[in-house]
Amino acid sequence: MNSNHRIYSVSVASVYPHYVAKAEKKGRTRAEVDEVIRWLTGHSQETLEKELAKKTNFEDFFAQAPQMNPSRSLITGMICGVRVQDIEESTMREIRYLDKLVDELAKGKPMEKVLRQ
């Protein structure tokens, strides 16, 4: 099993508290983290909470998302030492898009900019 497959099989619910903690440490809220996840995936708050409760893994979370936001291709820059726009493997790119959105939120970017509006 390659390392990417191990990452894909991790549940979104197991990483979610880290996203929230990162945002809250910088004065942002869980609601804002949920908003960026909903923007990226097309989930409603209810369906997002169901996926977290089911402990859906990252691969299935993105593959079964209601509507991946077409504007996510506007997410660029470095995350974990890699340019997100250069990641070829689709699931890894989606994971890094989410990482980048949470990172921007934690860095204090206005929500309109985080959501590419």
Side-chain angles (χ1 to χ4, degrees), residues 54-101:
K54 286 193 316 192
K55 298 190 178 351
T56 303
N57 66 42
F58 274 103
E59 187 167 30
D60 292 342
F61 183 73
F62 290 120
Q64 299 166 8
Q67 175 66 53
M68 293 302 292
N69 194 312
S71 295
R72 72 192 187 286
S73 62
L74 301 174
I75 302 168
T76 59
M78 300 287 282
I79 191 80
C80 300
V82 179
R83 291 198 174 284
V84 289
Q85 63 271 26
D86 295 341
I87 299 171
E88 292 188 19
E89 204 293 309
S90 61
T91 303
M92 181 56 70
R93 188 173 50 248
E94 302 301 349
I95 292 169
R96 295 306 182 202
Y97 280 156
L98 179 52
D99 291 344
K100 184 72 174 160
L101 292 172

